[in-house]
Amino acid sequence: MVLAPKNGLKPTTRFKGRRLTQQQLDLPGILGVANDLGDGGAQAHVHDRGELHVHMNGAVPVSTIQEIMADEATSFPAGFDCERDMTRLTPCKSLAEYLTPWQVLRLFPKKRANLDRLADAVFASLVENAVRFVEIRSTVLYLTGLQSCTPAQALERLIESTGSAARHYGIRRGLILTVTRGDYGASNLATLLQAYEDIGRPKDVVGLDLAGDEETPYPAELPAMIREAKERYGFGITIHAGETGRVENVREAVELFYADRIGHGTAASKDAALMDLLATKGVCVEVCPISNRLTGAVPRDEAHPLQEFRRRGVPFVICSDNPAIHQRGLADDQAAAMAEGLSICDMQQQYEIAKHFSFMEGLS
Ligand SMILES: [Zn+2]
């Protein structure tokens, strides 16, 4: 059920039947707080899971990355130590440090067949975590440079590879197209939407996501473009906001981008009026407990705000963000949420909550 380390790290011990590295044992606020990891307790009661916030390239097992890099004869960047830099297992000093693995994640796949290969590995990991449906997100356009193809071809390939892997493992999947904050946000969104039109508005694409450094401004026209795409195509909208303490980004996500869901949103808990707004509008927070501790979105000496979300009636769903980078899976994030104070009952409700807030149609 739970993924063992696949990056060549030597397991140093076993924790109630699970192999863990020493680094994983040291993760504060998650392990050691409650005895609910891998003991047949919390996880045994949850047979089905829905995953609403996972980045595809953050979900590729390290062993698969190494195989693809070797097959494509791509060198790791100078000074990049795969064992040290490819995973993030302990809280980072900065978001930049957390993002170190992305130096490599943008270097592959150059071959069409390796997109299939990594999609297969991603879905194999999801099925190990009893994920029945997933909304997987990708920036898509990075594939055009790697594979010398058009944006429409890149999107088509992503749909084919993930669709085929999802069918193979019996998982329902939707795609969320990610746009990154910064100067190119609007032009990249226009390119993505044109690609989506060019291939006949495939039903596989269910939503749009805004990601990237929250300190970086976005083009003034971006919110209107996202609202218009929501209206025209029926996309769900999710915005990474409030991960680095910027409360105003969460408010903008709701008021300017018409977000249906917020990625992380941890800063929102510090603003009572904003919590009321999220609760009243039924905007769901995608809570990624392990990621939040590793990035420092929730400092080690503070409680995770998910209990505050619950108290104030803000809906939330537990997600994994970049599970392969964390060497964990959604089952671990649910266990981590329990270590942060949620109950088994809360976890048992998660599947229905994820269905309710999913952008995919026909989940029942
Ligand atoms: Zn994310």
Side-chain angles (χ1 to χ4, degrees), residues 38 66 98 127 142 183 192 224 271 285 296 340:
Q66 290 172 317
Y98 175 81
V127 85
Y142 78 104
D183 294 344
L192 280 172
D271 183 325
V285 178
E340 303 276 10

Side-chain angles (χ1 to χ4, degrees), residues 53-55 98 137 209 211 240 243 263-264 286 288 291 320-322:
H53 185 138
V54 60
H55 298 265
Y98 175 81
R137 55 186 84 190
D209 165 40
H240 280 75
E243 185 182 10
H264 304 295
E286 299 156 357
C288 308
S291 173
S320 68
D321 205 15
N322 298 297

